[in-house]
Amino acid sequence: MAKWVVGNFKMNGTNEMVCAYGETMAALAAKSSTTNHLVVLPPLPYIAQLQKAFKDLPIQLGAQDCSIFEGQGAFTGEVSNFMLKDLGCGFVLAGHSERRHKMGETQSLVIAKVKAIQQEGLMPILCIGETKEEYDAGQTLAVLQNQLSNLPQGPMIIAYEPVWAIGTGLTASLELIEQRISEIKAMLSRTTPVLYGGSVTLDNVKDILGISNVDGVLVGGASLKPEQFYQMALS
Ligand code: PGA
């Protein structure tokens, strides 16, 4: 079954890097095609460039964040889902732990973003996950339940990313990933794809995608090298 392989560049990249990324991905896609759903989330300034590069490729585009305001208007610095859609984005992240913890995004703001994304007909990828302190205190399930509360109806993808596994090289064990994904699916009152994220690399992606209840992976650092990331999508 096709799984999701989503690359989150975070605040990384340059004009030159993104240009080369597009060319390399096109060359790789011409050589071998993947049956998985491949999605790339570049920083906002590079979306238009990758939209051109991916035009005829089976690679979809998305954004890492969005405004809660719709359409266009007097909201200095904001980028609406209308604009993201106009640039060819089909997906938008909401609630990434870096935005929750470093930018202070609250659960109600995250839910408002999910609604704004759906309103424009785009697919939200809602990130949830516990910190190391919450994990150690045995609060994981309560944290996840709270992050899944008040979700609007409508299509979405959930990405479970334990905060202690993001960018640390500390991947959750395969047993723990399977258990958490099944607990998350039990908390949802509908069928929603649930991805795993947190230090996913070329070395562990096959095993993680091999877990039957895992619907895909959200990849940060390892998505920045196109050869490596495309190889991951072929898993
Ligand atoms: P990482 O990041 O793969 O670099 O751990 C994952 C993420 O933050 O989505």
Side-chain angles (χ1 to χ4, degrees):
M1 208 187 63
K3 300 215 173 184
W4 294 90
V5 178
V6 182
N8 170 17
F9 281 18
K10 310 193 180 195
M11 196 176 72
N12 291 298
T14 60
N15 201 24
E16 195 183 340
M17 173 269 190
V18 172
C19 232
Y21 196 96
E23 283 169 17
T24 308
M25 284 301 240
L28 292 166
K31 260 196 247 153
S32 42
S33 57
T34 174
T35 50
N36 289 320
H37 308 292
L38 184 53
V39 182
V40 173
L41 315 173
L44 289 173
Y46 303 125
I47 288 177
Q49 200 168 324
L50 283 181
Q51 183 193 21
K52 280 194 209 113
F54 294 166
K55 198 166 133 312
D56 299 317
L57 304 181
I59 305 174
Q60 303 181 75
L61 262 184
Q64 300 168 22
D65 187 31
C66 65
S67 177
I68 54 169
F69 299 107
E70 291 174 20
Q72 308 186 53
F75 302 104
T76 302
E78 293 291 278
V79 175
S80 68
N81 287 289
F82 163 81
M83 292 168 173
L84 296 174
K85 188 175 176 179
D86 192 35
L87 283 174
C89 288
F91 302 81
V92 186
L93 281 189
H96 189 283
S97 65
E98 285 151 15
R99 297 208 62 84
R100 290 183 194 262
H101 299 291
K102 296 183 185 171
M103 263 65 80
E105 287 199 3
T106 60
Q107 176 65 12
S108 60
L109 179 61
V110 171
I111 295 301
K113 288 189 175 185
V114 169
K115 288 182 184 159
I117 297 163
Q118 289 180 333
Q119 191 74 28
E120 202 55 60
L122 305 181
M123 178 68 84
I125 304 178
L126 172 66
C127 302
I128 60 171
E130 80 286 2
T131 62
K132 174 82 171 62
E133 293 69 33
E134 290 161 343
Y135 176 82
D136 288 344
Q139 294 166 345
T140 300
L141 294 186
V143 168
L144 299 179
Q145 185 78 67
N146 179 49
Q147 291 173 335
L148 291 173
S149 60
N150 301 318
L151 289 189
Q153 288 303 315
M156 76 181 69
I157 293 174
I158 305 286
Y160 170 58
E161 300 199 296
V163 180
W164 46 269
I166 295 180
T168 57
L170 290 174
T171 323
S173 69
L174 298 179
E175 294 71 29
L176 186 60
I177 296 173
E178 182 168 25
Q179 182 190 331
R180 288 288 179 252
I181 300 274
S182 106
E183 287 160 345
I184 290 165
K185 288 189 172 179
M187 289 176 197
L188 297 163
S189 55
R190 54 190 152 159
T191 316
T192 302
V194 183
L195 321 185
Y196 169 79
S199 298
V200 179
T201 63
L202 190 49
D203 291 337
N204 58 24
V205 69
K206 217 181 173 82
D207 289 340
I208 296 171
L209 288 176
I211 303 172
S212 63
N213 66 358
V214 171
D215 298 302
V217 285
L218 179 54
V219 184
S223 68
L224 291 167
K225 298 215 167 79
E227 295 85 357
Q228 191 176 321
F229 185 54
Y230 198 77
Q231 189 65 36
M232 291 171 81
L234 293 176
S235 301

